Amino acid sequence: MAKKDLITVVTDPKVPLKELWSTDDSQVSAENPFYVPGKGVRNAKTKTGSDKPFVKINSIPVTEIDMLVIDETGIIPKVKIIFVDGNGALSGANYPKNDPIMSVYIKPQNDKFKPIRCDFLITNIITSQDAIMNADSIDTGATFIMTGELYVPKIYNNVSKSYRNMNSKDALKAIASDNDLGFACNEFTPNDKMTWLNTNTSSLRFIEHVSNHSYLDDDTFSTSFIDKFYHLTFVNVAEQLNPLNEHNMTYDNMVDSSELDISQAVTDGKNPDLAEMLSVTGLTNKDNYRGKPEYIINYSLMGNTGSILKSKGYKKKVFYYDPSLQGAERFTSFFVNPVQIKGYTGENKGLEPDDETLRESIIKKWMNIDYGNAHPEWNASVLINDHNNSELNKVKLKVETAGINFQVNRGQAVPIMMYFPPTTHMEKNMQTKGGNVDGKTETPINIQDLVPDTIISGKYYVSGVKYIYDRLNPSFPFKTEFQLARVNWLGEKNIVQ
Amino acid sequence: MLISKIISRKRTITKYTQQITDLIYSTFSFPTGSDGAGVTAVSEYENMRPDLMANRLYGDQTKWDAMLKYNGISNPFSVKAGDLLYALPFSALESVYVPPRDIAEREQKKETGAKSQVVSKKDKNRVNNLVRKNNNKNCDGVNVGANGELPPNLSKVGDKSVKVKDGRLVFGEDVTTVNKDNCPTPISRSRLQAALLKDKLFL
């Protein structure tokens, strides 16, 4: 039996991508007849996509990228790019009119990982018109701001189709196949066999519909999204939050600005042993990880508790009409509470309000008539999923890591080990040992003596990821921003080894 | 006319619109057996005519090039009356002509090297056993699914971030398995025009 919190690929994607290419300058060819071997020079194969993203729009390479953000927080990945069209290549005939596709490639430092290779449908373009119109300053080029979303050719087509006698997982797998998407999930079998009907809506909306009505039991909830590798990912989120699951192992990312030669050797396959080095899929701010993609350079908490309590309540009272029952029982109601995450003892210590009014305030929800033609938990499932997914948004930990982190994906369960910043630790040390509190000590800080932050540390569910390239940030041009969610903020198992 | 089969079998390459014969790879294989037909002398009549010699020895004048190659002679007109030549064994006449070896592109050569990962049926079973033994970890120790399914961020065996194709570097082609059924040959104006002209729909 596989690890229950591990998301694996069930079927591979078949979405046709545009060919993204550049000339091979490492050898003579028809494309490169004037080959001059350079000594110690990084060629296009090793360089492209590693110093900055490789982007092409209408076969025109975009070279002067100021910023690129790939946003994996919604149901489908989105992109935003700011660049200067220095030579005016995109301002004329190649302006993305008929073929508004932006191809993006970011290279992993270890070939064991897939690269980020996405085709985005450009949905919006803002251009600095002045630069184009003013012939005197044409040298500066126009600045383009483009936004787009992952191009899955058939995802917005209206479909009328039934998925007969399937549980939600099989239905989503079939929808993924119909749209040439791959399918990935963690191991669980929902108890919601029925005939799923797509009544002339887009596949994207139908994916949300099926996912919202998926049901395993009252203690679990699920969500789904399309990832940057073109997989429709269906996740049993409650399982991802279980602290008793062992940590997942994956390959080392090998990105380290101080060890560029090593990471390059790994990429070129010169040192296969290094490429097969393993590390725990996790993130930390421990000092000896500095420079690695799992090293947290920045973190903050994002809170939305009041707003969610206001609109959704801590618990909901649900009403519906069931014609199959007798008399007054036909008008039925039940409560929906946040689920108790497995692995934690006692009550939910996380986000239950202390204020009794907030805790007991009732949000009533009318769920229509249950005709009995769907699975038995049709009404409950949509509320359990919606209520618990909202619960995750109440407080989130936002962390930033240097470089592109290819190890941690959206939907995964990751252990986070946070330590107090050295200055705070030094002050504490001084206070306990009776030294002076000016922050200066003669003994260096021992890594073993670092004090873990038991509130922030612990196991999280990766609810969103942003991959950021910012040319104007010379220290960390590439960054990965993770949005991490959990329910039990005061859990007793926050120290992860 | 002397037509050499050894030369005509050489591979040709097109470089800058010119056809060039690649002389590097051999199209002649020396016979391994030592049962030669002995030694023969060039007669007066056969002066500068190896084709006549081949006709006398083998009944086939086209075998002159193999006969000279066997004797290490590259200029057919240097054969003089009175010269003694080794006769190529009759049994090896056909087997000495071989096609030139396939030249792998630099990138392909690398892939077929010692570190290449060929997945045979046996290998697959072995990997599956290792997965089961290692509590759902692959042979490297990375967590995988019950049947060896990989997490979405990991490349499959043989997948490459960058591929070399016709002097081009193609990036991230293996991220998806392209469904060719859904993307037939793309429509282009010239192709459409050609199709209309061919079907005489548009004159």
Side-chain angles (χ1 to χ4, degrees):
Chain A
M1 215 167 117
K3 281 183 96 266
K4 284 192 165 183
D5 64 343
L6 183 74
I7 296 173
T8 54
V9 175
V10 179
T11 53
D12 289 321
K14 291 180 177 175
V15 174
L17 296 176
K18 284 189 98 174
E19 192 176 68
L20 182 64
W21 66 275
S22 78
T23 305
D24 179 14
D25 60 1
S26 67
Q27 56 188 312
V28 69
S29 65
E31 292 286 341
N32 179 29
F34 307 108
Y35 167 61
V36 180
K39 215 173 185 182
V41 177
R42 291 173 71 201
N43 55 36
K45 192 178 173 188
T46 53
K47 197 174 64 180
T48 307
S50 62
D51 297 341
K52 60 180 178 182
F54 182 50
V55 178
K56 268 191 178 183
I57 299 168
N58 275 348
S59 308
I60 306 292
V62 177
T63 49
E64 295 175 53
I65 302 169
D66 285 336
M67 191 169 215
L68 177 99
V69 180
I70 296 173
D71 182 345
E72 246 196 311
T73 53
I75 188 166
I76 191 162
K78 296 197 167 149
V79 73
K80 181 173 186 176
I81 186 169
I82 304 172
F83 65 92
V84 177
D85 183 24
N87 49 15
L90 278 170
S91 302
N94 291 311
Y95 190 86
K97 305 178 293 292
N98 305 335
D99 197 11
I101 303 290
M102 181 199 305
S103 303
V104 179
Y105 169 77
I106 300 175
K107 184 180 191 295
Q109 294 303 314
N110 186 344
D111 260 351
K112 298 273 182 184
F113 293 107
K114 279 183 194 168
I116 295 178
R117 170 69 187 89
C118 305
D119 278 352
F120 291 100
L121 182 71
I122 301 167
T123 51
N124 184 268
I125 304 175
I126 301 169
T127 317
S128 61
Q129 287 291 332
D130 290 346
I132 296 173
M133 301 301 285
N134 187 353
D136 295 336
S137 62
I138 199 81
D139 290 346
T140 54
T143 300
F144 281 80
I145 303 171
M146 293 186 183
T147 49
E149 66 175 49
L150 195 76
Y151 181 49
V152 182
K154 292 183 274 184
I155 202 81
Y156 285 106
N157 288 3
N158 279 5
V159 180
S160 296
K161 188 171 178 179
S162 73
Y163 297 88
R164 295 184 66 189
N165 293 327
M166 293 181 188
N167 62 29
S168 52
K169 191 172 167 180
D170 291 338
L172 287 172
K173 197 171 148 187
I175 300 164
S177 168
D178 288 347
N179 288 279
D180 293 335
L181 289 165
F183 185 71
C185 60
N186 53 357
E187 196 186 273
F188 72 108
T189 311
N191 294 316
D192 51 9
K193 208 171 195 182
M194 58 175 269
T195 297
W196 302 85
L197 291 172
N198 184 357
T199 51
N200 207 27
T201 59
S202 71
S203 294
L204 193 65
R205 280 196 64 189
F206 192 57
I207 287 168
E208 284 182 287
H209 172 82
V210 174
S211 166
N212 288 344
H213 285 92
S214 66
Y215 178 84
L216 171 59
D217 56 44
D218 283 356
D219 295 325
T220 56
F221 60 102
S222 54
T223 188
S224 63
F225 54 87
I226 296 168
D227 75 1
K228 60 186 175 297
F229 301 118
Y230 294 88
H231 296 106
L232 171 58
T233 311
F234 187 40
V235 190
N236 174 357
V237 184
E239 196 59 56
Q240 304 300 80
L241 295 166
N242 186 344
L244 301 180
N245 287 324
E246 274 181 33
H247 303 324
N248 289 316
M249 298 297 287
T250 190
Y251 295 105
D252 209 286
N253 211 349
M254 297 309 299
V255 178
D256 190 337
S257 50
S258 61
E259 294 174 5
L260 193 64
D261 290 343
I262 295 175
S263 50
Q264 216 174 303
V266 170
T267 317
D268 294 347
K270 287 174 191 162
N271 202 334
D273 293 341
L274 276 177
E276 285 167 12
M277 274 173 63
L278 299 184
S279 61
V280 171
T281 315
L283 304 169
T284 182
N285 69 344
K286 207 173 184 178
D287 214 46
N288 54 340
Y289 282 85
R290 193 178 284 274
K292 299 257 178 195
E294 53 263 54
Y295 181 72
I296 296 171
I297 53 170
N298 216 345
Y299 71 94
S300 59
L301 288 167
M302 305 190 296
N304 214 11
T305 314
S307 151
I308 292 171
L309 277 175
K310 194 175 74 175
S311 59
K312 304 211 179 246
Y314 181 66
K315 59 181 179 181
K316 279 196 184 80
K317 190 162 193 188
V318 180
F319 299 88
Y320 68 99
Y321 188 82
D322 188 346
S324 66
L325 298 174
Q326 296 298 316
E329 284 182 357
R330 286 179 170 181
F331 188 63
T332 315
S333 67
F334 60 86
F335 277 106
V336 172
N337 287 324
V339 300
Q340 173 74 45
I341 301 297
K342 283 179 203 164
Y344 291 101
T345 53
E347 293 296 310
N348 262 356
K349 291 178 183 173
L351 301 167
E352 185 175 344
D354 290 337
D355 186 298
E356 198 175 332
T357 320
L358 280 173
R359 196 167 60 238
E360 296 302 327
S361 64
I362 293 174
I363 303 285
K364 291 180 181 173
K365 193 91 179 162
W366 168 244
M367 291 302 294
N368 233 326
I369 301 166
D370 185 356
Y371 290 105
N373 56 354
H375 67 81
E377 303 295 343
W378 177 258
N379 282 327
S381 60
V382 68
L383 281 154
I384 291 171
N385 287 323
D386 175 64
H387 200 70
N388 288 293
N389 280 312
S390 301
E391 199 73 6
L392 290 178
N393 290 329
K394 280 185 176 172
V395 183
K396 278 186 183 174
L397 176 67
K398 187 172 88 173
V399 303
E400 286 179 354
T401 61
I404 298 293
N405 188 315
F406 286 91
Q407 294 167 308
V408 179
N409 275 326
R410 186 180 177 194
Q412 267 184 323
V414 283
I416 306 289
M417 202 57 229
M418 298 296 288
Y419 295 87
F420 285 110
T423 47
T424 318
H425 169 60
M426 269 193 287
E427 282 165 17
K428 282 194 171 187
N429 207 19
M430 285 294 121
Q431 283 161 358
T432 50
K433 289 180 181 172
N436 60 355
V437 199
D438 62 356
K440 288 176 184 166
T441 175
E442 286 178 6
T443 50
I445 297 165
N446 198 341
I447 286 172
Q448 281 83 24
D449 294 340
L450 280 175
V451 178
D453 186 338
T454 53
I455 305 293
I456 303 288
S457 299
K459 196 152 195 185
Y460 287 85
Y461 162 71
V462 183
S463 68
V465 190
K466 284 182 184 177
Y467 301 95
I468 302 163
Y469 170 77
D470 182 1
R471 187 180 61 83
L472 303 174
N473 184 350
S475 326
F476 303 111
F478 275 117
K479 272 192 308 190
T480 310
E481 180 189 301
F482 292 102
Q483 292 180 13
L484 307 167
R486 66 174 173 185
V487 178
N488 290 57
W489 281 89
L490 301 175
E492 68 277 20
K493 295 184 176 69
N494 279 354
I495 300 297
V496 285
Q497 298 300 324
Chain B
M1 194 172 145
L2 292 176
I3 296 170
S4 169
K5 226 170 156 184
I6 294 174
I7 299 287
S8 62
R9 281 187 159 220
K10 299 272 186 195
R11 193 187 302 280
T12 55
I13 48 176
T14 311
K15 187 122 184 171
Y16 315 129
T17 68
Q18 281 189 321
Q19 287 270 331
I20 300 167
T21 305
D22 183 1
L23 297 173
I24 292 172
Y25 291 94
S26 174
T27 48
F28 180 83
S29 167
F30 280 90
T32 47
S34 57
D35 51 342
V39 179
T40 180
V42 181
S43 67
E44 228 14 83
Y45 173 67
E46 292 161 347
N47 198 14
M48 294 171 70
R49 292 295 300 273
D51 54 326
L52 296 181
M53 263 190 92
N55 194 36
R56 170 168 62 85
L57 291 170
Y58 310 114
D60 184 353
Q61 58 182 359
T62 63
K63 299 288 186 286
W64 64 270
D65 53 345
M67 189 185 71
L68 291 190
K69 187 82 183 170
Y70 189 62
N71 284 280
I73 298 167
S74 52
N75 182 0
F77 304 111
S78 66
V79 179
K80 294 197 297 283
D83 284 354
L84 292 174
L85 300 184
Y86 290 109
L88 186 70
F90 192 80
S91 58
L93 266 181
E94 286 308 318
S95 61
V96 291
Y97 297 103
V98 290
R101 189 155 60 85
D102 275 335
I103 312 160
E105 275 198 36
R106 223 163 108 171
E107 197 58 28
Q108 289 169 340
K109 234 177 177 179
K110 227 186 239 177
E111 282 170 10
T112 53
K115 194 61 196 169
S116 69
Q117 294 163 302
V118 181
V119 186
S120 66
K121 201 178 173 188
K122 194 180 167 189
D123 284 340
K124 206 175 165 189
N125 288 339
R126 188 173 161 269
V127 170
N128 286 343
N129 278 339
L130 282 169
V131 167
R132 278 193 290 274
K133 265 188 190 173
N134 291 322
N135 194 17
N136 299 312
K137 287 181 178 172
N138 72 359
C139 43
D140 291 341
V142 169
N143 287 104
V144 293
N147 297 313
E149 303 96 343
L150 290 169
N153 58 338
L154 295 186
S155 295
K156 286 202 284 190
V157 174
D159 281 1
K160 292 262 174 198
S161 296
V162 189
K163 281 183 175 175
V164 181
K165 274 186 176 177
D166 306 326
R168 287 173 165 197
L169 297 171
V170 182
F171 300 102
E173 199 182 53
D174 291 335
V175 167
T176 70
T177 321
V178 178
N179 190 354
K180 299 250 192 244
D181 300 341
N182 290 334
C183 54
T185 319
I187 295 168
S188 79
R189 190 176 290 183
S190 57
R191 212 169 287 132
L192 178 67
Q193 204 174 8
L196 291 173
L197 287 170
K198 190 184 164 198
D199 298 340
K200 296 181 181 169
L201 292 173
F202 180 74
L203 293 168

